[in-house]
Amino acid sequence: MVRDFQRIISIEMKQQILEKEGRLPSAVIACVGGGSNAIGAFYEFIQDRQVRLIGVEAGGRGTELGEHAARFKGGAPGVLQGTFSYVLQDADGQIALTHSVSAGLDYASIGPEHAALHDSGRAEYVSQDDAAALGAVVKLARTEGILPALESAHAVAEALRLAPTLPAREILVVNLSGRGDKDMGILARELKL
Amino acid sequence: MPIRFDPKHGLIVYLTVGDPSLDATRAIALAAIDAGAAVIELGVPFSDPLADGPVIQRAMERAVARGVRLADVLQMAREIRAERPAAGLVIFSYLNPILRYGLKRFADDAAAAGVDGVLATDMIVEEAGEYLAELARAGLAPIFLAAPTSPDDRLEAIATHSKGFVYAISRTGITGTQQTLTSNAAALVARIRRWTGPQGQGLPVAVGFGISNAEHVAQVAEFADAAVVGSAIVELIERATSQNGAETAPAAVARFIKGLRLPQAALAR
Ligand SMILES: Cc1ncc(COP(=O)(O)O)c(C=O)c1O
């Protein structure tokens, strides 16, 4: 149900990019907490095999359990809240605590359709840590005048990493899932503004 | 041991294993059996007990913090089985610890420990193919939860796949004590009996969630085969432990359980 509502994101993305550029993007990049904005941004492109789908999880402040929310790298298949997916958990199946500078990515499991896209290889999942996300907020604000949410900034950070490795004509679409106004308290603290 | 209930007052007691300690849970379980509990549900501590109210959540948190694991619960079942061969023993768990332990390994180890049945709160009957096959192979009884909101086709699946007993939830919501039982419970049990057979015959139906005193138990006995008492006992253990020490909890629980069997005269108002 979430996916069906959120897919309006990729319907509009596709329309607009075809209108503006006349071709599909090389990649769609979105942050992944529970997975709603990313599945919405991916969905209409799943059939377009040439479009890379890149989900960005929260790398937090370290690779140990409890320090991040990178479920694909650090988790294992399990059931949380009635859903079978990748779950951050310890050896006894107790659900792990998570950490991210962004509240919205701080979740021990991930929408199961992402687990399916991961296992089939259709989508790729990477992580960006707290510092990279904070850096991306500053960069986007200074260069474009856009203040992204800290969650979305993880996707921006991945775009900043990926872009220099690609030829200039390639198109990256980054989903800005929210605005950073709500994060001003955290930004002020973390960036010592 | 097959799960069997006293026809007049079948009683099932839920315990969160390891709260306040493994030794205390073992002593409380033995005392509860001697006081008349037909079945003990051994609750596996879990970090995210989403069907449980505050009392059992607190007990779970304490037990998880002590590092009590599914393996410890199976060991406890083995010890209780050795001491009380005729008692019914059910593992009550959220699914994730079982999956992590390994479904097949869990079924083997639970059967070897002398466990009779398994109630996995968040295992739904529609997704239970592999789970049912493993429990059947090991000779364990699967017990499913039926809610007042379950439609008839689900009740039919729940009733036909459950063994040992069907667990009817007295009301919607999470575990926890309440003042009065709603009439939902009797209506639900009547619906379930369309597939399990009449009271006293066929598969027993137990009623749980909110059963906390003798009056509730007597009410439930009129239409169901057993009452499950959980939060009321977990809370009693919590109180006895903090006020008088864990060693007083078994006697307190035994007294409480005996008190749940009001003499029939007191009920005939
Ligand atoms: C702005 C923003 N983006 C992304 C997310 C992550 O959620 P999801 O992965 O479900 O899109 C949140 C969650 O609160 C959010 O606030």
Side-chain angles (χ1 to χ4, degrees), chain A residues 31 34 129 168 170 173:
Chain A
C31 66
D129 66 13
E170 302 223 1
V173 173

Side-chain angles (χ1 to χ4, degrees), chain B residues 74-96:
Chain B
L74 293 174
Q75 176 59 25
M76 170 133 318
R78 181 186 296 276
E79 291 164 11
I80 296 170
R81 170 57 71 229
E83 303 239 5
R84 298 292 183 279
L89 292 179
V90 170
I91 300 291
F92 185 105
S93 184
Y94 288 86
L95 191 53
N96 202 53

